[in-house]
C-alpha cells in the first residue's frame, strides 16, 4: 500500500489534490522534526524566527516542485519570478546554513514524491545532529577573544602586560595600538587564546593592577564564531 502511494507520486506527472495534501502534510511533519532537532541541539542560541522558517521552508520547496512538475515552461516562469527576489542579511552560522539546506532537501524530496527517502534522510540526519551535539564534536577547550586595554603613557606598551600573560599561560598577539585623551593614554588591542582552566576574573584583576584600573574589555573574537 505504502509502496504504491510512494511510487504513484513519482510516476504521475499530473498534480492531484490528494497527492498535494500528502506531500504538504509530510513536508510540514519533517520540517517540525528538523526544527525540534535544531532547538534541542542549540538551546542557548536558537531564535523563534529561524525555527519557524525551518518548519515552513520544506513546505515552500515542496509546493514549488509540485507546481513545476515536468513542465519546462512553468519552471522557467518560476525561475524568472524568483530572480527578482533579493535576500539581504548578515552571514549566518555555518550550522544554521546546513539546517537550511537540510530543510530544503527534505522539501525537495517530498515535492518529487520520494517520501520514503525524505523520511529516511531526515531521521538519519536528525539522529546524527543529536549524536554530534551530545559528544560536543569539534568543541574546543580554549577560546580566542579580543582584549582591549587602556594603559597610561608612562607604561611601555610593548611589554607592560607580558608578565601577566605568561603567568596565566595566555597566548597573545598585539594587533593594534592607538593613543587617546590627547596622547595621555594608549589603547591596546590583543588577540588572546584563553583556556577553559583560566580564571578570567583573576586574569582581568591582574591586568587592572597593572593599568591603574583603566578600561578593560574582553569579547569573543569575530574570527572564531562557528
Amino acid at each position: 500500500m505504502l509502496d504504491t502511494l510512494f511510487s504513484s507520486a513519482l510516476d504521475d506527472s499530473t498534480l492531484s489534490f490528494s497527492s498535494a495534501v500528502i506531500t504538504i502534510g509530510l513536508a510540514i511533519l519533517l520540517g517540525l522534526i528538523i526544527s525540534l532537532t535544531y532547538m534541542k541541539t542549540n538551546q542557548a542560541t536558537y531564535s523563534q524566527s529561524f525555527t519557524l522558517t525551518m518548519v515552513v521552508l520544506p513546505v515552500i520547496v515542496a509546493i514549488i516542485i509540485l507546481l513545476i512538475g515536468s513542465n519546462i515552461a512553468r519552471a522557467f516562469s518560476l525561475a524568472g519570478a524568483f530572480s527578482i527576489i533579493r535576500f539581504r542579511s548578515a552571514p549566518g552560522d555555518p550550522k544554521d546554513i546546513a539546517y537550511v539546506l537540510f530543510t530544503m532537501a527534505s522539501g525537495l524530496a517530498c515535492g518529487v514524491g520520494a517520501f520514503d527517502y525524505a523520511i529516511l534522510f531526515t531521521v538519519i540526519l536528525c539522529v546524527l545532529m543529536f549524536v554530534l551535539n551530545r559528544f560536543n564534536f569539534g568543541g574546543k577547550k580554549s577560546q580566542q577573544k579580543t582584549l582591549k586595554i587602556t594603559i597610561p603613557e608612562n607604561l611601555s606598551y610593548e611589554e607592560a602586560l607580558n608578565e601577566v600573560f605568561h603567568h596565566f599561560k595566555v597566548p597573545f598577539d598585539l594587533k593594534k595600538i592607538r593613543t587617546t585623551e590627547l596622547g595621555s593614554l594608549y589603547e591596546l588591542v590583543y588577540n588572546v587564546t584563553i583556556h577553559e582552566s583560566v580564571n578570567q576574573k583573576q586574569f582581568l584583576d591582574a591586568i587592572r593592577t597593572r593599568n591603574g584600573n583603566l578600561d578593560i574589555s574582553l569579547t569573543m573574537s569575530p574570527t572564531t564564531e562557528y
Side-chain angles (χ1 to χ4, degrees), residues 17-37:
F17 181 78
S18 58
S19 64
V21 170
I22 294 172
T23 299
I24 293 173
L26 183 60
I28 294 173
L29 178 61
L30 296 181
L32 284 170
I33 293 173
I34 297 170
S35 183
L36 289 172
T37 301

Side-chain angles (χ1 to χ4, degrees), residues 3 15 28 31 48 103 148 197 211:
D3 292 338
L15 177 63
I28 294 173
Q48 184 183 24
T103 55
K148 295 182 180 180
S197 61
N211 77 333

Side-chain angles (χ1 to χ4, degrees), residues 197-208:
S197 61
V198 175
N199 187 313
Q200 295 188 29
K201 183 181 183 305
Q202 293 180 2
F203 175 60
L204 295 179
D205 285 344
I207 295 176
R208 287 172 52 235

Side-chain angles (χ1 to χ4, degrees), residues 44-119:
T45 59
Y46 78 85
S47 64
Q48 184 183 24
S49 61
F50 189 72
T51 55
L52 291 176
T53 300
M54 284 192 291
V55 176
V56 176
L57 189 57
V59 183
I60 296 174
V61 174
I63 291 174
I64 292 173
I65 299 302
L66 284 175
L67 292 175
I68 292 175
S70 59
N71 192 315
I72 298 178
R74 195 179 298 170
F76 278 109
S77 299
L78 284 172
F82 280 102
S83 67
I84 65 174
I85 300 176
R86 296 290 184 269
F87 296 97
R88 294 183 176 89
S89 60
D93 190 319
K95 185 163 56 176
D96 293 349
I97 297 173
Y99 269 99
V100 170
L101 295 175
F102 183 8
T103 55
M104 291 180 66
S106 297
L108 180 62
C110 291
V112 300
F115 301 140
D116 46 354
Y117 289 108
I119 295 172

Side-chain angles (χ1 to χ4, degrees), residues 177-198:
I177 305 167
R178 75 182 185 96
T179 59
T180 61
E181 301 295 332
L182 300 177
S184 62
L185 300 175
Y186 286 98
E187 184 181 83
L188 312 180
V189 180
Y190 293 90
N191 281 345
V192 295
T193 303
I194 301 181
H195 193 270
E196 62 181 6
S197 61
V198 175

Side-chain angles (χ1 to χ4, degrees), residues 146-175:
T146 299
L147 178 64
K148 295 182 180 180
I149 306 171
T150 302
I151 63 172
E153 62 177 343
N154 61 342
L155 286 181
S156 172
Y157 60 78
E158 293 181 341
E159 53 188 31
L161 303 170
N162 289 9
E163 185 178 344
V164 176
F165 291 137
H166 292 314
H167 174 75
F168 286 90
K169 298 180 180 179
V170 174
F172 66 96
D173 182 20
L174 182 59
K175 305 298 292 185

